[in-house]
Amino acid sequence: MSLRSPLGRVRGLGSAKEGVGHWWAQRLTALSLVPLTLWFCASVAGLAGADYASFRAWVGAPVNAGLLILLIVAVFYHAMLGVQVVAEDYIHGEGRKLAVLLITKALAIVLGLAALLSVLTILFRG
Amino acid sequence: MTTQNRPLSPHLQVYRLPLLALLSIGHRLTGLALTFGTFLLVWWLVAAATGPEAYATAQAAISSVIGRLLLFGWTLALFYHLCNGIRHLFWDIGYGYELKAAYASGWAVLAAAVALTLLAWVWGYAALAGGAT
């Protein structure tokens, strides 16, 4: 008989990992992306053919910049979690899986940062 | 020894996938396609932050025939993933599991995705025609 508690025995084994956190993050980003995506699509459709000055004026309006920042963070977090699930399901070699997961995370961070810095540049430089 | 009447697993090359299976794999495929589509979004924003020449290059690429085709496909994928994602969220809180409900919501997702895509493009071309000033 072990003196360890049931929680102590399962911690770090099997399903006692971070699956619930991943699941929740994917659902909460999905939920926040519903209004953000609809706002973004309506805005971009209205901006069709916009010239440089009017596009920068739109991005540089504080409310638009704020919503864009929320959208960018939610999109790249959601995409990263989604690609991770697909990679874990279909890539079977541990080395290749790890490589794809690391590249996915790195790309999500770099692309998200590039988009965020662009919005901030336009917001603060006008 | 008879080999007839053995249960067969669905062989993907001869088995016609039911609508619900197609919608399910479609959610993943559109998710992956949208992830690649983020390159376009980032390019557009970076170009606008860089300067007028970079923005003109990006705008020309997006409004070319290939650019518009890609953007149309991306819009359809986005609205499909959005509508089907809402369907998944309802499943997550326990609604709509019956086969009939799942088929009905599936068809509704397809119809809504097409309708929203067309609406967005009509809206875009109206803005293009009206806002050229």
Side-chain angles (χ1 to χ4, degrees):
Chain A
M1 194 189 134
S2 169
L3 291 175
R4 298 179 70 198
S5 70
L7 180 64
R9 277 203 300 276
V10 297
R11 198 163 259 167
L13 291 172
S15 53
K17 293 182 182 170
E18 304 119 60
V20 177
H22 184 287
W23 191 92
W24 255 118
Q26 190 150 36
R27 266 64 188 179
L28 292 180
T29 49
L31 205 56
S32 63
L33 279 168
V34 173
L36 287 170
T37 306
L38 290 174
W39 163 79
F40 179 73
C41 288
S43 304
V44 170
L47 281 166
D51 60 18
Y52 178 68
S54 45
F55 182 63
R56 280 184 73 109
W58 179 80
V59 176
V63 172
N64 292 336
L67 287 171
L68 274 174
I69 289 167
L70 290 177
L71 177 86
I72 290 162
V73 172
V75 157
F76 283 102
Y77 195 21
H78 187 80
M80 191 182 84
L81 295 171
V83 173
Q84 183 189 343
V85 171
V86 175
E88 284 169 349
D89 278 356
Y90 295 116
I91 302 175
H92 300 302
E94 280 303 317
R96 271 169 55 197
K97 191 194 295 177
L98 184 65
V100 168
L101 291 180
L102 290 179
I103 291 168
T104 304
K105 279 172 207 264
L107 269 180
I109 291 168
V110 170
L111 288 173
L113 189 63
L116 283 178
L117 289 177
S118 301
V119 172
L120 292 175
T121 303
I122 297 172
L123 176 66
F124 290 121
R125 290 213 189 133
Chain B
M1 186 179 110
T2 174
T3 57
Q4 284 157 357
N5 297 328
R6 278 182 177 167
L8 295 171
S9 60
H11 193 285
L12 288 178
Q13 282 167 306
V14 292
Y15 178 72
R16 186 169 159 269
L17 285 169
L19 177 72
L20 298 185
L22 289 174
L23 292 175
S24 172
I25 193 65
H27 195 70
R28 285 198 155 179
L29 291 176
T30 51
L32 287 178
L34 290 168
T35 303
F36 285 106
T38 59
F39 281 101
L40 188 70
L41 171 69
V42 173
W43 183 28
W44 194 39
L45 285 171
V46 169
T50 305
E53 297 85 17
Y55 182 75
T57 309
Q59 192 80 324
I62 290 169
S63 46
S64 68
V65 175
I66 294 173
R68 280 179 204 220
L69 277 175
L70 276 174
L71 204 58
F72 186 84
W74 193 59
T75 317
L76 190 59
L78 179 63
F79 282 124
Y80 173 76
H81 198 85
L82 178 74
C83 295
N84 201 48
I86 294 172
R87 184 166 168 251
H88 272 275
L89 288 174
F90 274 102
W91 284 336
D92 289 337
I93 54 171
Y95 291 105
Y97 278 112
E98 295 75 21
L99 202 55
K100 240 178 128 179
Y103 268 96
S105 61
W107 284 113
V109 160
L110 288 177
V114 171
L116 284 168
T117 304
L118 294 178
L119 180 69
W121 280 76
V122 168
W123 194 327
Y125 273 105
L128 203 57
T133 48

